[in-house]
């Protein structure tokens, strides 16, 4: 790893800023780490371990100077589903495999590909995750007892409805106190983390006034250890890898999206640029190391990264300090954390869900009433009612299909007919009618990308409109920006069919990329280098020399300079003689 630029010109004043920002972000990260772990179905200390180990590794090896890594809300539905189906030990292995995938993505320089994921898909699954997180905290907010956790949304909602009779008033009061303090703290103490103040105040209220009436971390999960767990390497077997590779891939994909989005946000706030491939490698290393200490999968945290920047962070050292702060709190104050009520954790996660829901972007895309709205809704609904993996897969497939459809609709193939009554004008496209067609030359303008989604339509449009089998077929391709091998194959089929009947194919104005494809596939040679022209006028000059003038003179719509003479009933013999004597007169009246 190259450190140049990350610590360039570092000085004591910069260290002080990193120290302050790292301390503040570390304090904020503690309740979030525990809350995310609980919501994911594991013990709260595992979230703290993740904050410490992953936070330090991401800052050390990542590609952003300001990235803060750790457990995030986006991972909650995935991790909870894995825990429910495979168990905690297999979650650690899935995280380890995801780390390997992330490192490979970085090494193969796939970081830039993440930006090609359609925005409606990311908004859809992010909003869906927000709904799952919010709804998942209703039981703790109300203090419901006897709740059984399920993997899917509807069974969980059914559990809540069935157990509403067990609502605990003391839990509601505790949760409301925490929520109120979180919302009011920024107004009176803008520099103090509202979630931490809310957690402390509501814990004191519950301990003093509702002792034993509200479920706590200690009563639900046991005491939190004051040390990191021992190093433990997961038991790797082929059967376990094969069984967990799909959830590991899902973790890696979501982790890469979240971390790079967070890095982009940091770039926008600091006018800096991150290294996306190195960021993926750093995320991968973090997710390989964290499970060895009992931590759950981690990624870049947008809110904590933004807080890091707002508090004056200068370098990745702030992220390292944030991890150390969490470690010190774990060692010194772990016993006190056991007294935190679960009801106090609920409003923290509910606000996380509200802030990550992208409700304004969601509404904005819906208002467009386009195919993007459809992709957004499908991705959102599948995220909520099935799972994130299915939602992203279906969303991406739909987005690709609809994109191909839009691009294929953008391909326009139109027959071009010279107007014999107008001199010295450019070739124009007109509706083909029985009264306007030339039996010896066909001119077609092609506009739009010639690719697999539209290639068949291109060939069919021309084949269906060629009735008289003209001797020369001129394709004007100046407005074809892209051609793939399917488009080339359809063009090749057209060329072979046309030449089979003795016709000549001419191409004018072709751009660099389609021309390169034709040269690579050999179609350029098949058509003939002499049949490619920079401008339509040059191609028409060449075409005229190939035509049977006697047939042309028999056509009442002959679109060259001699049309005027023919319309004045000049004898055909005289015209033919003059044309042969003066080839310059065969110049078309259209450029």
């Amino acid at each position: 790893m190259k450190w140049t630029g990350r610590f360039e010109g570092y000085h004591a004043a910069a260290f002080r800023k990193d120290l302050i920002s790292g301390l503040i972000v570390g304090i904020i990260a503690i309740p979030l780490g525990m809350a995310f772990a609980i919501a994911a179905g594991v013990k709260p200390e595992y979230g703290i371990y993740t904050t410490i180990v992953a936070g330090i590794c991401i800052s050390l090896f990542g590609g952003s100077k300001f990235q803060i890594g750790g457990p995030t809300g986006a991972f909650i539905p995935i991790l909870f589903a894995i825990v429910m189906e495979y168990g905690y030990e297999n979650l650690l292995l899935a995280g380890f495999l995801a780390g390997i995938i992330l490192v490979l993505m970085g090494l193969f320089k796939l970081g830039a590909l993440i930006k090609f994921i359609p925005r409606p898909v990311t908004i859809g699954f992010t909003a869906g995750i927000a709904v799952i997180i919010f709804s998942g905290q209703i039981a703790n907010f109300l203090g419901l007892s006897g709740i059984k956790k399920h993997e899917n949304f509807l069974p969980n909602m059914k559990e809540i409805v069935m157990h509403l009779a067990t609502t605990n008033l003391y839990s509601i009061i505790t949760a409301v106190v925490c929520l109120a303090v979180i919302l009011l703290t920024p107004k009176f103490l803008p520099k103090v983390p509202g979630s931490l103040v809310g957690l402390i105040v509501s814990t004191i209220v519950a301990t003093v006034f509702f002792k034993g009436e509200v479920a706590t971390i200690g009563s639900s999960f046991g005491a939190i250890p004051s040390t990191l767990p021992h190093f433990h390497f997961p038991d790797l077997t082929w059967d376990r890898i094969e069984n967990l590779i799909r959830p590991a891939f899902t973790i890696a994909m979501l982790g890469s999206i979240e971390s790079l989005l967070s890095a982009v946000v940091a770039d926008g706030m600091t006018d800096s640029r991150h290294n996306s491939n190195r960021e993926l490698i750093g995320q991968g290393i973090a997710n390989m190391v964290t499970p060895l200490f009992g931590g759950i999968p981690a990624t870049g945290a947008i809110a904590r990264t933004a807080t890091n920047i707002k508090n004056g962070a200068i370098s990745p050292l702030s992220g390292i300090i944030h991890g150390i702060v969490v470690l010190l709190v774990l060692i010194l104050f772990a016993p006190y954390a056991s007294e935190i009520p679960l009801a106090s954790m609920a409003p923290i996660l509910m606000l996380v869900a509200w802030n990550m829901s992208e409700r304004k972007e969601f509404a904005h895309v819906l208002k467009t009433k386009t195919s993007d709205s459809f992709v957004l809704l499908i991705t959102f609904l599948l995220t909520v009612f099935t799972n994130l993996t299915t939602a992203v897969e279906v969303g991406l497939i739909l987005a690709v299909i609809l994109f191909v459809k839009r691009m294929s609709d953008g391909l326009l193939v139109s027959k071009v007919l010279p107007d014999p009554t107008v001199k010295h004008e450019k070739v124009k496209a007109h509706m083909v009618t029985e009264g306007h067609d030339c039996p010896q030359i066909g001119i077609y303008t092609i506009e739009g990308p010639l690719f697999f989604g539209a290639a068949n339509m291109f060939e069919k449009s021309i084949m269906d409109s060629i009735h008289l089998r003209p001797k020369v077929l001129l394709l004007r391709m100046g407005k074809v920006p892209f051609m793939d091998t399917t488009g080339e194959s359809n063009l090749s089929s057209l060329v072979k069919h046309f030449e089979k009947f003795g016709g000549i194919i001419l191409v004018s104005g072709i751009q660099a990329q389609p021309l390169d494809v034709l040269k690579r596939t050999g179609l350029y040679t098949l058509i003939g280098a002499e049949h490619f022209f920079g401008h339509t006028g040059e191609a028409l000059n060449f075409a005229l020399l190939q035509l049977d003038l006697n047939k042309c003179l028999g056509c009442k719509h002959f679109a060259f300079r001699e049309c005027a003479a023919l319309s004045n009933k000049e004898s055909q013999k005289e015209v033919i003689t003059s044309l042969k004597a003066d080839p310059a007169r065969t110049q078309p009246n259209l450029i």
Side-chain angles (χ1 to χ4, degrees):
M1 297 290 177
K2 294 181 179 179
W3 292 83
T4 304
R6 289 161 64 87
F7 290 97
E8 189 174 355
Y10 201 72
H11 46 77
F15 174 74
R16 284 194 296 272
K17 290 183 178 180
D18 281 337
L19 182 62
I20 293 171
S21 60
L23 178 64
I24 293 172
V25 176
I27 292 172
I28 292 173
I30 294 168
L32 291 176
M34 291 190 293
F36 291 145
I38 293 171
V42 300
K43 293 183 177 180
E45 58 262 34
Y46 298 151
I48 296 178
Y49 301 156
T50 306
T51 302
I52 296 167
V53 180
I56 292 174
C57 287
I58 288 171
S59 294
L60 276 174
F61 303 108
S64 172
K65 293 170 65 176
F66 308 99
Q67 184 82 282
I68 298 295
T72 63
F75 271 148
I76 288 175
I78 301 175
L79 304 189
F80 181 76
I82 295 173
V83 170
M84 292 292 292
E85 185 173 353
Y86 302 100
Y88 168 67
E89 289 296 328
N90 283 320
L91 171 63
L92 299 184
L93 180 55
F96 182 81
L97 295 175
I100 295 175
I101 294 171
L102 285 166
V103 170
L104 291 175
M105 288 174 65
L107 291 175
F108 286 106
K109 301 187 183 302
L110 300 180
L113 295 181
I114 303 299
K115 66 183 179 183
F116 293 110
I117 295 178
R119 185 69 175 146
V121 174
T122 58
I123 294 174
F125 75 68
T126 302
I129 289 171
V131 170
I132 293 171
I133 295 173
F134 190 95
S135 62
Q137 296 307 307
I138 295 175
N140 287 336
F141 194 99
L142 299 177
L144 304 183
S145 59
I147 293 286
K148 291 182 179 179
K149 293 287 187 178
H150 298 275
E151 185 177 342
N152 296 321
F153 176 78
L154 289 178
N156 283 322
M157 292 300 98
K158 183 179 178 181
E159 284 284 333
I160 291 173
V161 173
M162 291 175 60
H163 291 82
L164 280 176
T166 65
T167 298
N168 185 331
L169 181 61
Y170 302 114
S171 291
I172 294 177
I173 295 173
T174 302
V176 170
V177 168
C178 183
L179 178 61
V181 173
I182 292 173
L183 295 176
L184 292 173
T185 298
K187 296 181 180 180
F188 299 100
L189 301 169
K191 294 292 185 178
V192 179
S195 59
L196 182 65
V197 177
L199 201 64
I200 294 172
V201 171
S202 60
T203 299
I204 293 173
V205 169
T207 302
V208 173
F209 299 103
F210 314 135
K211 185 70 174 179
E213 300 292 340
V214 180
T216 64
I217 289 177
S219 65
S220 301
F221 301 97
I224 295 178
S226 58
T227 59
L228 286 175
H230 296 295
F231 179 90
H232 173 69
F233 196 84
D235 182 20
L236 286 173
T237 64
W238 180 251
D239 288 340
R240 293 184 74 190
I241 292 173
E242 192 174 26
N243 196 34
L244 293 168
I245 192 64
R246 193 163 183 259
F249 187 78
T250 303
I251 293 171
M253 290 300 100
L254 182 58
S256 62
I257 294 169
E258 285 291 306
S259 63
L260 294 181
L261 282 176
S262 179
V264 169
V265 170
D267 288 349
M269 295 178 68
T270 59
D271 292 327
S272 61
R273 291 193 66 183
H274 72 281
N275 184 319
S276 58
N277 294 312
R278 188 165 70 182
E279 180 63 23
L280 291 181
I281 293 173
Q283 296 285 339
I285 293 172
N287 280 286
M288 289 173 66
V289 175
T290 302
L292 306 182
F293 294 93
I296 60 179
T299 184
I302 296 176
R304 274 162 278 169
T305 298
T307 303
N308 186 41
I309 294 169
K310 289 178 181 178
N311 284 281
I314 300 296
S315 76
L317 193 59
S318 62
I320 298 171
I321 293 171
H322 126 274
I324 295 172
V325 168
V326 177
L327 175 61
L328 292 174
V329 171
L330 175 68
I331 294 172
L332 299 174
F333 302 105
Y336 300 102
S338 301
E339 299 300 320
I340 297 174
L342 295 183
S344 298
M345 309 295 278
I348 293 175
L349 284 175
M350 286 177 165
L351 286 175
V352 167
W354 177 257
N355 292 329
M356 72 178 288
S357 64
E358 300 204 57
R359 54 199 180 277
K360 292 182 180 179
E361 288 290 330
F362 194 99
H364 175 72
V365 175
L366 279 185
K367 286 179 182 177
T368 64
K369 296 180 180 180
T370 61
S371 58
D372 285 343
S373 306
F374 179 68
V375 172
L376 171 71
L377 276 178
I378 293 297
T379 305
F380 169 74
L381 293 173
L382 288 176
T383 300
V384 174
F385 294 107
T386 60
N387 57 70
L388 183 62
T389 304
T390 301
V392 172
E393 288 174 352
V394 174
L396 286 175
I397 291 171
L398 279 177
V400 169
I401 292 173
L402 293 171
F403 171 76
V404 170
K405 178 66 170 60
R406 287 198 298 267
M407 293 297 288
S408 62
D409 290 343
L411 181 69
L412 176 65
V413 179
S414 56
K415 177 131 187 209
V416 178
L417 292 160
D419 188 345
T421 64
V422 181
K423 304 286 187 179
H424 308 296
E425 287 189 4
K426 291 186 177 181
V427 176
K428 295 180 179 179
H430 297 276
M431 180 68 70
V432 178
T433 64
E434 293 182 2
H436 289 81
D437 206 354
C438 177
Q440 289 220 86
I441 183 169
I443 308 174
Y444 290 84
T445 297
I446 305 155
E447 300 181 40
L450 195 53
F451 71 119
F452 67 91
N456 187 59
M457 189 266 283
F458 152 74
E459 182 184 10
K460 188 175 184 298
S461 297
I462 296 181
M463 295 294 287
D464 288 350
S465 60
I466 297 177
H467 307 294
L468 302 177
R469 287 181 185 164
K471 182 176 178 60
V472 178
L473 180 63
L474 171 57
L475 304 178
R476 305 174 69 215
M477 299 182 66
K479 295 183 179 180
V480 178
F482 172 79
M483 177 190 293
D484 67 1
T485 53
T486 305
E488 183 276 338
S489 176
N490 285 64
L491 178 58
S492 177
S493 176
L494 174 66
V495 170
K496 291 174 182 176
H497 175 82
F498 196 72
E499 291 185 344
K500 180 180 178 182
F501 297 98
I504 300 171
I505 295 282
L506 304 182
V507 179
S508 68
I510 190 167
Q511 295 189 33
Q513 192 277 338
L515 181 61
D516 181 62
V517 171
L518 297 187
K519 288 182 177 179
R520 289 175 180 271
T521 59
L523 185 55
Y524 179 82
T525 303
L526 180 63
I527 295 174
E530 69 280 6
H531 291 168
F532 285 82
F533 302 89
H535 303 283
T536 301
E538 298 169 359
L540 286 174
N541 289 341
F542 182 88
L544 187 58
L545 297 176
Q546 318 303 315
L547 299 180
D548 184 337
L549 293 178
N550 287 298
K551 288 185 179 180
C552 275
L553 295 171
C555 173
K556 65 178 181 178
H557 294 295
F558 179 55
F560 299 97
R561 287 180 179 171
E562 304 312 322
C563 285
L566 290 176
S567 63
N568 291 328
K569 299 183 179 180
E570 182 180 1
S571 70
Q572 291 187 12
K573 182 177 180 181
E574 186 176 348
V575 172
I576 293 172
T577 302
S578 63
L579 285 174
K580 290 180 178 178
D582 183 12
R585 293 184 65 197
T586 63
Q587 298 293 322
N589 63 1
L590 303 170
I591 299 173

